[in-house]
Amino acid sequence: MTLLAFFFFFDTMDAAMLGYTAPALRAEWGLSISTIGLLSSTTFVGMMIGAVVGGRLADRVGRRPIILGSVVFYSAFSLATGLAPNVTSLGVYRALTGLGLQAMIGVLLVFVSEMYPKHLRGRYQALLLGFGCIGIPVVAGLASFLIPMGPGMWRWVFAIGSVGIIGTLVGMRTLPESVRWQVDNGRAAEAEGLVDKLEAEARQKTGKELPEVVVTEPVPAGRVSDLFTRKYLGRLITLSVCMSCFVLINYGFNGWVATLLMERGLSQEQSMHAAFIMSLASALGAFLVYPIIDRFERRVVGSVCMALVAALLTLFAFSDNATVTVLSGFLLTALLFAALSVLYTYAPEVFPTNLRGFGAGIANGTGRVAGLAQGFVVAAIFTSFGFSSVFLYLAACALVFASSLGLFGVKTSNRSLEEV
C-alpha cells in the first residue's frame, strides 16, 4: 500500500506539472494560449497510447512488470522535459511522459481491484488516490516557490518529478504479481504460495483464524472481441463517456485555472496562489469519500458528486468575488476527486481478469482522446466567448458524467469481481 501510494503520488504530480509551469513557459518563451493548449494535448497523445498499450501488455505479461517499467519510463522523460532546449522537444518529452504515466496508473488500479477484498477495495482506492493527490498541491507549491526565483526555475519542477524512479528499487523486491492474473495464466502454484504467505501474515497479526474460503465459479477466459459483445459493450461505452468527461473537466479546470485567472486580470503570483489553494482540495475529496464508497452503490455516489460539481462550476463562471471564486473552486475540486475515487474503483471491476487491463485501458484511452481535444477546445471557447463560457462548458460535461454513470452504470459495491 505504501509503495503504491508512492507511485501514485509521483504519477499525479507529473501529470499536473504542465498546468502549473505554463505561466512561466509563456513568459519565458513568449508562448501563446494556443501553444500551451498544443503542449497540453501532446501529453494526452502519450496518455492515450499508454492507457491502451499498457493495459493490453498487463493482460499478457502481468501487472507487476508494467507497473515497475512504466515508472522508470515516465521518470526518465520527466527529467528530459526539465532539460528541454525548446518548445518542440518539450512537447515530445511530455508525450512520452504521458505514455508512461497512464500505463502505470491504469495497471495500478487493476492491481488494487484484484488484490484487495471486495468490501474494502473502494476504500483502498480512495486512500491511494488521496495520497496520490497530495502531489497536486505539492507541485503547485513547488511551482509557486521555485518559479519566482528567476528564468529557467520551472525546469527544476520537472526534474523533481523524476524522483519517483526510486520506488522501483523497492518494488523489485516487494511488489508481488496479481494472484488473479497468475491463476488466469497457468501459474496457480505461484498464486497458491503467495496466498499462503498472505494468510500466514493475517493470522499472525490478528491472532485469529481466517473465515472459511468462499468458492466462486471461475469466469471463462474471453477474447478481445468479447469487449464488444452485448454484455461488455454497454459497460465500455458508459465508462468511456465518464472518463472523457472527467478528463475534460479536470484538465480544463485545474490545468487552465492559473492561466485563465491571469487573463482575467490577476497577477501571475495571485493566480498561482489561488490555483494552489484550490489544488489542496483534491486529496481532501478523495479522503472524504472513504467512509461511503463501499457503503453505498458507487454509481450513485459518483453521479451525485458530479451533479454538485456542475452547480459549482456555474457559480465559478459568474462570480466576481475573489473569496467566492476560490471557495467554489476549492469545493468543486474536492467533489471532482471524490467522483474520481469512484471512477477509479469502478473501472477495473466491470471486466474479466484476462481483459481487465485492456478494457479499462480502452476507456482510459478514450478519456485521453478527449484530453487531446480539450486544450484546443478551452483555448477556442475562451478566445471566442470569454472566461465564463469555459466553465459553463465544463459544467455541461459534469452533467453528462452524472447522468451516464447514474443511469447506465452497473452495481459493483461489495460484489466479488467474478460476480460482477
Side-chain angles (χ1 to χ4, degrees):
M1 181 69 181
T2 303
L3 178 66
L4 297 178
F6 181 83
F7 286 153
F8 218 136
F9 172 85
F10 278 95
D11 180 282
T12 308
M13 185 177 170
D14 268 299
M17 282 179 180
L18 184 60
Y20 292 105
T21 56
L25 284 167
R26 286 194 68 200
E28 188 169 324
W29 285 353
L31 305 181
S32 66
I33 286 280
S34 297
T35 302
I36 294 295
L38 179 61
L39 285 174
S40 177
S41 294
T42 60
T43 307
F44 286 98
V45 172
M47 286 184 167
M48 174 185 64
I49 298 169
V52 177
V53 174
R56 185 57 180 156
L57 285 175
D59 288 338
R60 299 294 296 272
V61 304
R63 316 311 191 199
R64 180 179 183 272
I66 302 305
I67 291 173
L68 297 179
S70 297
V71 173
V72 173
F73 191 89
Y74 80 68
S75 297
F77 283 104
S78 183
L79 179 60
T81 303
L83 300 172
N86 53 55
V87 68
T88 302
S89 58
L90 189 145
V92 172
Y93 296 148
R94 282 304 294 171
L96 293 169
T97 302
L99 190 154
L101 290 172
Q102 198 56 46
M104 194 283 288
I105 203 65
V107 181
L108 187 150
L109 298 175
V110 167
F111 180 87
V112 173
S113 73
E114 293 179 342
M115 290 292 286
Y116 286 82
K118 64 183 181 181
H119 64 289
L120 294 174
R121 63 177 180 257
R123 276 174 273 186
Y124 276 108
Q125 294 278 26
L127 284 177
L128 278 173
L129 179 61
F131 284 118
C133 285
I134 294 172
I136 297 176
V138 167
V139 74
L142 281 171
S144 63
F145 174 74
L146 291 172
I147 288 173
M149 290 183 177
M153 292 304 294
W154 58 267
R155 297 179 183 275
W156 286 100
V157 179
F158 290 103
I160 292 170
S162 67
V163 175
I165 197 171
I166 294 172
T168 59
L169 301 176
V170 179
M172 290 173 67
R173 293 175 57 86
T174 62
L175 186 69
E177 183 54 87
S178 160
V179 167
R180 278 185 166 91
W181 184 87
Q182 288 177 325
V183 171
D184 210 53
N185 285 271
R187 292 164 56 175
E190 294 177 48
E192 189 68 41
L194 177 57
V195 170
D196 287 344
K197 178 183 176 182
L198 295 173
E199 289 177 337
E201 289 178 358
R203 291 190 189 96
Q204 182 181 7
K205 291 183 178 181
T206 64
K208 301 176 182 178
E209 276 301 310
L210 300 176
E212 290 296 317
V213 173
V214 178
V215 179
T216 58
E217 289 294 322
V219 177
R223 297 170 296 179
V224 171
S225 59
D226 291 345
L227 289 175
F228 305 98
T229 59
R230 182 175 181 179
K231 180 175 182 179
Y232 293 114
L233 183 59
R235 301 180 182 193
L236 187 62
I237 292 172
T238 299
L239 185 58
S240 297
V241 169
C242 291
M243 285 288 187
S244 298
C245 289
F246 174 82
V247 169
L248 289 171
I249 299 164
N250 182 40
Y251 290 94
F253 183 77
N254 291 306
W256 280 86
V257 67
T259 302
L260 293 178
L261 287 174
M262 283 180 65
E263 293 295 324
R264 208 180 195 194
L266 274 66
S267 68
Q268 177 176 311
E269 184 177 3
Q270 288 172 325
S271 64
M272 293 189 71
H273 283 167
F276 173 68
I277 293 171
M278 294 175 200
S279 73
L280 294 172
S282 54
L284 176 65
F287 288 131
L288 284 177
V289 82
Y290 176 88
I292 62 173
I293 193 170
D294 288 315
R295 181 169 297 182
F296 302 101
E297 193 54 54
R298 300 199 218 291
R299 64 181 184 182
V300 175
V301 176
S303 60
V304 169
C305 286
M306 291 306 290
L308 293 172
V309 168
L312 287 164
L313 279 165
T314 304
L315 176 61
F316 189 92
F318 293 108
S319 172
D320 289 325
N321 181 283
T323 302
V324 173
T325 298
V326 174
L327 181 60
S328 60
F330 184 90
L331 292 174
L332 76 88
T333 302
L335 288 164
L336 183 63
F337 279 82
L340 183 60
S341 289
V342 174
L343 193 58
Y344 272 0
T345 306
Y346 178 88
E349 293 177 322
V350 296
F351 302 108
T353 298
N354 73 311
L355 296 174
R356 186 165 290 126
F358 193 42
I362 291 174
N364 263 311
T366 303
R368 273 42 196 182
V369 172
L372 175 63
Q374 67 84 24
F376 300 105
V377 172
V378 170
I381 292 175
F382 175 76
T383 302
S384 300
F385 303 105
F387 180 90
S388 297
S389 298
V390 172
F391 299 100
L392 290 177
Y393 142 73
L394 297 176
C397 293
L399 290 176
V400 172
F401 181 121
S403 56
S404 298
L405 186 62
L407 295 174
F408 303 109
V410 298
K411 294 181 178 180
T412 64
S413 294
N414 289 302
R415 300 175 72 192
S416 71
L417 296 182
E418 290 72 26
E419 184 183 357
V420 175

